[in-house]
Amino acid sequence: MAARIDLVTLVVAEYDPAIAFFTEVLGFELAEDSPSLTNDGRPKRWVVVRPPGGGTGLLLARADGDRQQAAVGDQVAGRVGFFLQVDDFDATYHRMVDAGVEFVRPPRTEPYGRVAVFRDLTGNLWDLLGPA
């Protein structure tokens, strides 16, 4: 039996700035942006972004209520919780720096390849990963 993780939810403050960050800064594709409803009937959007070429997507979910708002930018309690694997580490790193992405740890080489840690638009930590 084959299985894969299709989507991971990322709680964001607002849809449009999150869409802009992931599509314009990280180069993801906007796979879906459709009207939807919350479980109690309030309007929301179903927004999915994916890295170029597919793979696991992010469901950008606008925070609903105080508890979810408190999780924005702290989805995994301050740990690196997301990992963006790229083919050309140096070009991607420099493009992201030029776009104003905050890197909290500079590039380094590890046994598994090149890595640098950056913050997304809300403060979640990501590893940018590439070949050594």
Side-chain angles (χ1 to χ4, degrees), residues 27-116:
F28 284 28
E29 298 166 353
L30 179 60
E32 188 170 356
D33 185 355
S34 304
S36 188
L37 297 173
T38 63
N39 291 336
D40 59 1
R42 292 174 288 124
K44 69 174 186 176
R45 289 159 63 183
W46 182 264
V47 177
V48 176
V49 294
R50 293 185 188 280
T56 301
L58 295 175
L59 174 66
L60 302 178
R62 186 179 61 199
D64 185 14
D66 292 340
R67 183 174 179 199
Q68 291 182 22
Q69 189 63 44
V72 172
D74 195 24
Q75 309 267 323
V76 292
R79 293 185 60 112
V80 171
F82 306 94
F83 303 83
L84 180 60
Q85 182 80 41
V86 297
D87 293 332
D88 189 335
F89 180 90
D90 290 328
T92 303
Y93 172 78
H94 291 295
R95 183 179 52 77
M96 290 172 66
V97 167
D98 290 346
V101 173
E102 177 191 0
F103 279 84
V104 298
R105 291 189 202 104
R108 66 185 192 275
T109 301
E110 296 291 341
Y112 52 83
R114 302 270 292 146
V115 61

